[in-house]
Amino acid sequence: GAGVSQSPSNKVTEKGKDVELRCDPISGHTALYWYRQSLGQGLEFLIYFQGNSAPDKSGLPSDRFSAERTGGSVSTLTIQRTQQEDSAVYLCASSFRATLSTDTQYFGPGTRLTVL
Amino acid sequence: DAKTTQPPSMDCAEGRAANLPCNHSTISGNEYVYWYRQIHSQGPQYIIHGLKNNETNEMASLIITEDRKSSTLILPHATLRDTAVYYCIVRVPGNQFYFGTGTSLTVIP
């Protein structure tokens, strides 16, 4: 079946502009995660949705970052007033149910964001 | 969730077993050990996970010490395509994954 998809694959924006990144999880997956990965670094957790529960936003680096998940499926990560340090690859992952020990995350290809 | 410590890099000869260590000395009883890998420019890929017993699947084996304070991922016959960054994560089901910086494995022809 189809995997996790993300759009756009690349985004170049000017400092101060807002951007929206989209993630389409695997159908039927109740958990959805956002991470970012700066050049040469590991993955940094941003936010996590599990079903209808309140999202875990503990990884969001500032209030310029927000995310929503509509209808338990598609998610949008919004970065307001982008800064150059926001430049990174933004990765989305989904899993069947995060509370299971067997929970396996499936990752999308990522969106490469460049802030000029 | 407990933190993990991994060597930043390792080399392995093609066809040999690659043994990647991970320390998780503060692991608690309900935390599982997961391994993922990330091949350049791709999203991470699940490899294997376990609680306290050793596990094996078609990709790798996971050996967890009896005190659960460390584990080793074994790729039995490394190929060039196994060159990647390998992440060891400990996690309570339902919590988020903290990936850390992992071990960069280079398989040498």
Side-chain angles (χ1 to χ4, degrees):
Chain A
V4 177
S5 61
Q6 294 185 243
S7 60
S9 55
N10 281 286
K11 176 71 176 179
V12 179
T13 190
E14 293 179 347
K15 178 181 173 181
K17 300 279 190 181
D18 297 351
V19 295
E20 286 190 351
L21 312 180
R22 177 186 169 106
C23 174
D24 283 87
I26 293 173
S27 177
H29 279 192
T30 63
L32 187 147
Y33 305 76
W34 282 99
Y35 300 86
R36 74 176 175 182
Q37 188 169 33
S38 301
L39 187 63
Q41 301 297 310
L43 276 74
E44 176 188 4
F45 165 76
L46 296 177
I47 188 170
Y48 150 51
F49 298 87
Q50 171 56 60
N52 296 321
S53 302
D56 179 345
K57 304 180 182 180
S58 60
L60 294 178
S62 78
D63 59 8
R64 295 187 296 105
F65 288 72
S66 63
E68 61 178 25
R69 189 178 185 193
T70 54
S73 181
V74 172
S75 178
T76 302
L77 177 69
T78 301
I79 309 172
Q80 296 178 310
R81 305 181 302 281
T82 53
Q83 304 294 313
Q84 289 181 331
E85 60 263 28
D86 299 334
S87 296
V89 176
Y90 288 81
L91 289 158
C92 174
S94 72
S95 68
F96 178 66
R97 187 177 302 163
T99 51
L100 297 175
S101 65
T102 53
D103 180 55
T104 298
Q105 294 186 55
Y106 296 87
F107 283 79
T111 293
R112 181 174 298 277
L113 175 66
T114 303
V115 182
L116 301 176
Chain B
D1 293 329
K3 297 225 184 263
T4 63
T5 304
Q6 298 178 254
S9 63
M10 291 181 63
D11 292 339
C12 178
E14 187 178 17
R16 298 283 197 163
N19 296 281
L20 292 94
C22 180
N23 286 321
H24 30 79
S25 59
T26 61
I27 194 170
S28 60
N30 61 345
E31 288 183 305
Y32 285 71
V33 180
Y34 295 81
W35 283 83
Y36 279 73
R37 73 179 182 184
Q38 186 175 25
I39 296 171
H40 183 61
S41 299
Q42 299 180 21
Q45 174 192 26
Y46 167 83
I47 302 173
I48 199 167
H49 78 281
L51 181 61
K52 52 185 177 181
N53 296 324
N54 297 338
E55 301 289 342
T56 295
N57 63 21
E58 64 278 4
M59 289 183 69
S61 294
L62 173 61
I63 307 299
I64 303 174
T65 58
E66 192 169 343
D67 63 7
R68 303 210 320 124
K69 294 186 177 182
S70 65
S71 61
T72 301
L73 178 75
I74 301 172
L75 308 178
H77 305 288
T79 71
L80 298 180
R81 288 176 294 182
D82 292 322
T83 292
V85 177
Y86 287 77
Y87 297 98
C88 168
I89 305 149
V90 294
R91 168 186 181 255
V92 173
N95 289 357
Q96 64 272 36
F97 284 75
Y98 287 104
F99 276 79
T101 53
T103 295
S104 178
L105 175 69
T106 302
V107 180
I108 302 168

